Amino acid sequence: MILLLWTVSTNFKWIDPLFLPTPQSVWIALLDLLQEGYKGSSLLDHIANSLNRLFLALILALVMAVPLGILCGYSKYFRAIFDPIVEFYRPLPPLAYYALLVLWLGIDDKSKVALLFLTGFAPLFITTVSSVQKVPRDRINGALTLGASKWKVLVYIIFPSCLPDIITGLRTAIGVTYATLVAAEMVAATSGIGWMVLDASKYLRSDIIFVGIMLMGTIAMFMDWIIRWFQRRQFPWVGTED
């Protein structure tokens, strides 16, 4: 229905093509980008550069946020140290501290990955902390009674119990990080889907802008589908409890 309405409204000139290009022009722009690329780089290179920044930031966020979140959820002393820091920067708009990251790390990919990392770290950390606090105390006490050390309780009891929520937190982290990708590619970038969309807007190439937006949306949906498939396969009981 949306495609039909889009086709009819644009082909009958109800909307200026500058603001809303026809589906045909967007398709032609996609084919041109596949054949010719954009500003010296192929379309696949732009996609690969964006995903490389995104995945590197998400891997770093997972490696740091999940263990720290488990420690903070299990120990009020760790939580007293790290929780105020995360809660302070979490509501800040990413562009508010991006200038500092550029000043500290330079204008290359380091500052961009750092921005994406900070964006994805907070939801993963908060979800992990909340999940640890929901683990039944009887389960922990039972393991301690049977002789498990606190380290083994963290690794074999708390971490597996938190995995379904951590996967949900990862979905949230991917969403907010992906939304920040355009902001990360605004400064001194020469490649990436976000940069391509911003650069095309300078020349009023709304067809290329639509191609970039649709590609970003399609890739995001595919990534989310992979995570949901993994979640259903590994944790089939999630969402079925009474």
Side-chain angles (χ1 to χ4, degrees):
M1 290 295 295
I2 294 175
L3 180 60
L4 178 62
L5 181 61
W6 178 16
T7 303
V8 172
S9 61
T10 52
N11 280 278
F12 281 95
K13 307 297 182 182
W14 295 347
I15 303 176
D16 192 327
L18 178 63
F19 302 111
L20 184 65
T22 63
Q24 300 95 306
S25 63
V26 173
W27 176 251
I28 292 172
L30 173 61
L31 295 179
D32 288 342
L33 288 172
L34 288 172
Q35 294 176 358
E36 306 294 334
Y38 187 80
K39 296 294 181 71
S41 298
S42 69
L43 182 59
L44 292 180
D45 285 339
H46 285 297
I47 295 174
N49 289 330
S50 290
L51 293 182
N52 180 59
R53 296 167 183 141
L54 183 71
F55 286 142
L56 182 57
L58 286 173
I59 290 172
L60 290 174
L62 265 175
V63 169
M64 297 185 65
V66 173
L68 188 59
I70 291 176
L71 287 176
C72 291
Y74 189 67
S75 169
K76 62 181 180 181
Y77 302 107
F78 278 98
R79 188 161 64 251
I81 296 172
F82 294 102
D83 192 64
I85 300 173
V86 176
E87 289 296 338
F88 171 77
Y89 92 83
R90 181 178 62 87
L92 295 176
L95 288 179
Y97 51 84
Y98 191 26
L100 282 176
L101 295 176
V102 171
L103 182 65
W104 293 339
L105 301 175
I107 59 177
D108 57 5
D109 276 359
K110 292 180 182 178
S111 59
K112 297 172 178 56
V113 172
L115 178 68
L116 297 176
F117 161 76
L118 290 173
T119 306
F121 180 90
L124 266 173
F125 173 82
I126 292 172
T127 301
T128 305
V129 171
S130 176
S131 180
V132 172
Q133 293 173 335
K134 291 190 301 182
V135 176
R137 193 66 197 180
D138 291 344
R139 191 179 302 172
I140 298 174
N141 290 335
L144 293 173
T145 302
L146 293 172
S149 64
K150 290 185 177 181
W151 173 251
K152 287 186 176 180
V153 168
L154 286 175
V155 174
Y156 296 106
I157 302 297
I158 293 179
F159 177 66
S161 299
C162 297
L163 267 177
D165 288 338
I166 291 174
I167 297 300
T168 302
L170 179 60
R171 290 181 61 191
T172 304
I174 288 177
V176 296
T177 305
Y178 204 79
T180 313
L181 184 62
V182 174
E185 294 178 345
M186 286 179 64
V187 179
T190 56
S191 64
I193 295 295
W195 171 82
M196 187 180 76
V197 170
L198 289 170
D199 189 75
S201 68
K202 299 176 184 177
Y203 304 99
L204 302 180
R205 290 295 307 272
S206 56
D207 51 349
I208 295 179
I209 294 173
F210 266 74
V211 170
I213 291 173
M214 289 181 175
L215 284 175
M216 287 190 288
T218 303
I219 293 171
M221 289 175 61
F222 180 70
M223 292 166 58
D224 189 68
W225 177 84
I226 291 176
I227 294 176
R228 286 188 287 115
W229 172 82
F230 176 80
Q231 192 174 36
R232 287 195 304 267
R233 187 176 181 86
Q234 297 297 322
F235 317 110
W237 64 86
V238 175
T240 61
E241 302 96 334
D242 294 328

